[in-house]
Amino acid sequence: MLFIALASLPLPAQIPIKYHTTALVPPDSADVTRMTKRHFWRAAGEVAGFNIGLWAFDRYVQRGDWAYISFNTIKENFRHGFLWDNDNLGTNTFLHPYNGSLYFNAARANGFNFWQSELFAIGGSGMWELFMEREYPSTNDFIATPIGGAAIGEILFRASDAVLDDRLTGESRFERELACFILSPMRGINRIITGEAWKVRPTRGRLYGTPNFAVRVSAGYKMLQYNGHMRNIHQGVAAQIDVEYGDRFEVKSTKPYDYFTLKAELQGLKTQPILTQIEIKGRLLAREIFDNYRSKGSIGLYQHFDFFDSDTIDNLKKVPFKLGIPASVGAGFMFRDIERAHWVFDCFAHANIVALGSILSDHYQTDDRNYNWASGFSLKGGMNIVFNKDKFAFSVSHNYFRLFTWKGYHYGTDLRVVNFRNLNVMGDVSVASLNMTEIRADFKIWKKLFGTVLFTNYYRSSHYRDYPDVRTNSTSLALMLSYKL
């Protein structure tokens, strides 16, 4: 969906490094005035309406037991209070934040800015947790839904903004409105309610004008190996999309997400999840350190969203890795050297606080969960070198996550007979770390088509209070074709 939206834009910049950029086309002042007019009751109604509609689907179509609510279940939710739930990783650290993005974009589509829209996401999440389910309200959902929802929501809102063109009519107008609806359903619904979807104007109707994008799409073969066991190699296909929005060294604007990066991966490997990776880095504010004829440097505050998922390797019945970080923020530094005769170099470094994270557990494997909830910190860094403009590019990056789980169950508890509706624990009391190293090489084949070799190593170390330490090492290798827009 995001690829469809971006494909229609001018995309001269390159990944991994953007050393050629085009001047932004600013939005029309009439569009900005109209689209920043706030409509509180309409936004609140769309948030509440979405929750009621989702509950009705769960109750009357899925007939989920959690959706059979009453005044007594609502009263019990308030009496009991919040606890840590046991949904699977994809539900808790991706689908719930995606729901949060819908609350968030109900407000964004009605004139509210990034920070104001976050309040609507909090309100929508609170309404669902306390009123719309008979399960006790979830501590992790109340954190992940609005905070992770803001990261996903702002990216999708910006993408939907980039495809709009209110000057058009007919089939081309319908295609753009459909793309807007797919990318940001709440914005699409709002445009239908208000009649904006078919109203013709002399301006494009974009809040952010024509931004600067760089997009890289890769697809090909992928292999996943667990702990060096040659007989436990999973093979299949994979596809990646990398997006860079805005200029990483343009710091005059202070609007959140004027610059962000997105990396997502889908795969087709036996027993493995289709969605295996999402990484978002969104700049909230920035300051220039230096800008001269030799180099550029900036620091900023960034929001991070990380999701890495795998599943059981058949023969060993082991899971290589799991990590979900829906709520993280920290400082980031970016540096770019002067473009030299045959090559150009840049690098980056981030240090983040993880308010809410999750990581694979070797022991808390019951109900739908096989991971621990945790908090901690992460360190990220990397470098890119591009040779001869675009003939060859080499990138190295490393992510380090250190997560602490402190609210655990008592040693000796038989998790097979526990009532999980009342069990309020983060998992195993532990300190766990995950190191992820990625090495990528792109070499030009023809025009914008590149051959790609991508190697990734996942090293996990978990120190448990009540169990022996566990260390695992998994690797993946991808051979792909990449197309740079």
Side-chain angles (χ1 to χ4, degrees), residues 267-393:
Q267 63 181 7
L269 276 68
K270 183 181 178 182
T271 76
Q272 298 302 303
I274 295 176
L275 178 63
T276 185
Q277 177 180 357
I278 298 177
E279 289 184 85
I280 296 172
K281 299 184 185 76
R283 190 173 68 195
L284 302 176
L285 54 90
R287 181 179 295 275
E288 184 178 81
I289 303 176
F290 53 85
D291 183 359
N292 53 51
Y293 74 98
R294 294 191 59 83
S295 58
K296 290 185 177 182
S298 68
I299 58 172
L301 183 68
Y302 289 79
Q303 181 180 11
H304 292 249
F305 181 97
D306 298 283
F307 176 82
F308 300 94
D309 199 11
S310 69
D311 215 328
T312 306
I313 297 291
D314 286 340
N315 297 334
L316 295 176
K317 302 300 181 185
K318 296 291 186 180
V319 178
F321 55 85
K322 280 186 181 290
L323 182 86
I325 309 288
S328 178
V329 67
F333 167 76
M334 289 191 177
F335 170 83
R336 185 179 70 193
D337 192 20
I338 186 175
E339 182 179 349
R340 301 183 184 276
H342 299 290
W343 55 276
V344 63
F345 166 84
D346 77 334
C347 63
F348 63 91
H350 294 268
N352 312 299
I353 296 172
V354 175
L356 176 67
S358 53
I359 191 167
L360 179 67
S361 168
D362 300 281
H363 305 285
Y364 193 92
Q365 299 181 2
T366 187
D367 203 20
D368 290 328
R369 252 181 71 189
N370 57 353
Y371 58 89
N372 293 326
W373 289 111
S375 298
F377 65 91
S378 67
L379 302 173
K380 303 179 180 181
M383 53 154 284
N384 307 297
I385 303 177
V386 178
F387 297 92
N388 292 331
K389 300 291 186 181
D390 60 356
K391 296 297 187 299
F392 178 76

Side-chain angles (χ1 to χ4, degrees), residues 119-192:
L119 298 177
F120 284 83
I122 293 171
S125 179
M127 175 185 173
W128 182 266
E129 295 298 327
L130 292 167
F131 294 93
M132 311 306 293
E133 289 185 307
R134 68 181 301 130
E135 295 179 349
Y136 294 137
S138 168
T139 302
N140 47 273
D141 287 349
F142 191 63
I143 299 171
T145 300
I147 298 178
I152 298 174
E154 186 66 15
I155 284 177
L156 294 179
F157 182 81
R158 297 242 180 185
S160 69
D161 191 72
V163 302
L164 293 175
D165 196 336
D166 289 349
R167 302 171 302 177
L168 302 178
T169 59
E171 182 179 352
S172 58
R173 176 64 178 271
F174 174 79
E175 290 173 350
R176 288 178 175 270
E177 294 295 333
L178 178 61
C180 173
F181 181 88
I182 293 173
L183 288 164
S184 180
M186 299 304 287
R187 188 177 195 179
I189 291 172
N190 193 71
R191 286 179 66 83
I192 294 172

Side-chain angles (χ1 to χ4, degrees), residues 192-237:
I192 294 172
I193 291 174
T194 60
E196 298 288 331
W198 48 81
K199 189 173 295 184
V200 179
R201 290 190 172 87
T203 60
R204 290 181 180 270
R206 297 178 180 177
L207 182 59
Y208 295 104
T210 301
N212 193 341
F213 276 94
V215 179
R216 179 178 63 197
V217 181
S218 307
Y221 163 85
K222 180 181 178 180
M223 175 271 289
L224 177 64
Q225 181 187 51
Y226 174 78
N227 245 15
H229 291 273
M230 296 304 296
R231 63 188 180 90
N232 292 297
I233 294 177
H234 277 31
Q235 303 178 76
V237 295

Side-chain angles (χ1 to χ4, degrees), residues 428-447:
D428 309 291
V429 176
S430 60
V431 179
S433 61
L434 181 66
N435 287 271
M436 303 175 56
T437 304
E438 182 176 284
I439 302 173
R440 178 173 182 137
D442 294 272
F443 54 93
K444 189 171 185 178
I445 297 175
W446 180 69
K447 292 186 177 180

